[in-house]
């Protein structure tokens, strides 16, 4: 099929690779414009642009698709379908209608749960037992379109947003190839009204840990915000990001270090920090950090 691919972050790259590997013709790749990044603040292309250029594909990164000229340029590509995954711009109706089969979105949740910007984070934060990927026929509403295919995956006690992100990206890549191969025979299922939730964008204010909360909730917070923005706490005045955790045995006053393995008491129960990042340093497993940084039982975090 002749496809317009629309995506920007790392999550979208395996999807582009899968479409190319399946033999589809990529008429053009749309992504967000390069933006200043790094210490030198030089313009850096999105991961999708970098990959597309490596593959020798045509790339466009308009600031908006609302103008008549941008919409005409899109329509002139005469695509069979547009595949959209974490693109970053709202698609006007004229763009949605331009390809012969419309625009298909790869959404990282089991719709109608977690429509919106941060479905992977929110699924972990909420303690969901499973999530997945939906291939959705796009319409004007926010992730409201009918679903063509879906695939679920369990959320394990070890899953962070980073780990789940990578798994869902691979699921989405395989699922869109399947959907395109069966497109004429797939029945679009309208989303039910019951069960709609919205995955609001993550606010950095959500990242500070309140040790008076139950361990199970703090564990979800740590895993759900890893690697970005990273749940954090204070220890001896230093802000420390906690990037991995597991539930542990033990009890004490909230924020009390319980043992030499970095188990910490919470409002109910305890958790063990398994990965962390000190200010100005890289992320490391907790056992490596503890070799050079003394944190003793009875110490307190969060103060």
């Amino acid at each position: 099929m002749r496809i317009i691919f629309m995506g920007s972050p790392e999550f979208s790259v395996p999807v582009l690779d899968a479409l190319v590997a399946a033999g589809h013709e990529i008429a053009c790749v749309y992504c967000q414009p390069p933006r200043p990044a790094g210490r030198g603040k030089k313009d850096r292309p999105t991961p999708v642009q970098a990959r597309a250029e490596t593959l020798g594909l045509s790339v466009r990164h308009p600031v908006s698709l609302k103008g008549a000229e941008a919409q005409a340029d899109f329509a002139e590509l005469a695509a069979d379908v547009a595949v959209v995954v974490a693109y970053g711009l709202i698609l006007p109706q004229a763009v949605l209608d331009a390809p012969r089969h419309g625009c298909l979105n790869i959404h990282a949740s089991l719709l109608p749960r977690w429509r919106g910007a941060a479905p992977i984070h929110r699924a972990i934060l909420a303690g969901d037992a499973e999530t997945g990927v939906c291939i959705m026929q796009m319409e004007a509403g926010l992730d409201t379109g009918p679903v063509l295919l879906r695939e679920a995956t369990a959320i394990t006690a070890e899953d962070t947003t980073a780990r789940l992100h990578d798994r869902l990206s691979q699921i989405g890549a395989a699922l869109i190839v399947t959907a395109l191969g069966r497109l004429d025979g797939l029945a679009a299922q309208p989303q039910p009204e019951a069960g709609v939730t919205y995955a609001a964008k993550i606010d950095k204010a959500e990242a500070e840990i309140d040790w008076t909360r139950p361990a199970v909730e703090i564990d979800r917070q740590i895993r759900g915000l890893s690697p970005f923005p990273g749940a954090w706490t204070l220890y001896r005045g230093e802000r420390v990001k906690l990037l991995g955790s597991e539930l542990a045995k033990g009890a004490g006053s909230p924020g009390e270090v319980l043992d030499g393995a970095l188990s910490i008491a919470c409002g109910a129960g305890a958790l063990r920090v398994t990965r962390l990042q000190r200010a100005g340093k890289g992320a490391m497993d907790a056992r490596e950090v503890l070799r050079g940084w003394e944190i003793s039982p009875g110490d307190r975090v969060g103060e």
Side-chain angles (χ1 to χ4, degrees):
M1 299 183 78
R2 182 172 169 83
I3 295 171
I4 298 172
F5 182 79
M6 310 180 81
S8 296
E10 194 65 44
F11 185 86
S12 310
V13 173
V15 180
L16 177 59
D17 284 341
L19 294 173
V20 172
H24 293 289
E25 177 190 0
I26 308 299
C28 189
V29 172
Y30 278 69
C31 57
Q32 288 287 293
R35 291 192 170 92
R39 291 185 178 180
K41 295 299 181 184
K42 294 182 179 180
D43 279 354
R44 180 182 298 173
T46 65
V48 164
Q49 179 175 343
R51 182 59 180 153
E53 290 175 348
T54 298
L55 294 169
L57 301 174
S58 175
V59 176
R60 296 176 182 174
H61 35 70
V63 176
S64 170
L65 290 168
K66 294 180 179 179
E69 184 177 353
Q71 293 175 12
D73 290 342
F74 187 90
E76 285 174 3
L77 292 168
D80 294 312
V81 67
V83 172
V84 185
V85 51
Y87 174 43
L89 284 182
I90 294 174
L91 304 189
Q93 193 63 49
V95 170
L96 295 174
D97 294 340
R100 186 164 61 93
H101 291 288
C103 299
L104 302 184
N105 178 244
I106 302 172
H107 187 75
S109 82
L110 297 175
L111 294 167
R113 187 160 179 79
W114 302 130
R115 295 174 178 173
I120 302 175
H121 298 79
R122 294 297 175 193
I124 295 178
L125 288 168
D128 290 1
E130 66 174 8
T131 186
V133 171
C134 285
I135 307 299
M136 177 189 69
Q137 186 79 51
M138 294 182 72
E139 56 184 31
L142 177 64
D143 300 328
T144 58
V147 173
L148 298 173
L149 279 179
R150 65 176 65 221
E151 182 174 332
T153 184
I155 300 177
T156 72
E158 293 77 34
D159 277 331
T160 62
T161 285
R163 179 171 166 171
L164 192 54
H165 165 285
D166 292 350
R167 189 158 80 247
L168 292 174
S169 178
Q170 294 296 331
I171 291 172
L175 203 61
I176 189 63
V177 171
T178 299
L180 292 174
R182 297 168 47 193
L183 197 54
D184 289 334
L186 288 175
Q189 301 294 323
Q191 293 183 38
E193 294 296 326
V196 173
T197 59
Y198 290 92
K201 186 177 179 181
I202 297 296
D203 191 315
K204 288 184 178 181
E206 298 178 68
E208 182 177 3
I209 295 171
D210 176 1
W211 293 102
T212 66
R213 293 169 60 202
V216 66
E217 294 182 6
I218 299 175
D219 174 58
R220 293 172 189 162
Q221 179 187 14
I222 291 170
R223 293 185 295 110
L225 300 184
S226 175
F228 182 83
W232 63 270
T233 192
L234 293 175
Y235 178 65
R236 295 178 181 171
E238 179 181 337
R239 182 184 286 208
V240 183
K241 284 187 178 182
L242 308 185
L243 301 173
S245 61
E246 60 189 13
L247 297 178
K249 295 180 179 179
S253 60
E256 179 184 354
V257 178
L258 299 177
D259 57 31
L262 209 48
S263 298
I264 301 173
C266 306
L271 61 77
R272 181 177 298 110
V273 177
T274 59
R275 190 165 178 82
L276 57 89
Q277 182 176 6
R278 297 185 65 182
K281 299 182 182 296
M284 299 174 68
D285 289 342
R287 61 179 178 273
E288 296 178 70
V289 175
L290 291 172
R291 291 193 188 109
W293 196 28
E294 185 177 351
I295 302 177
S296 305
D299 288 353
R300 302 191 65 80
V301 299
E303 296 180 346

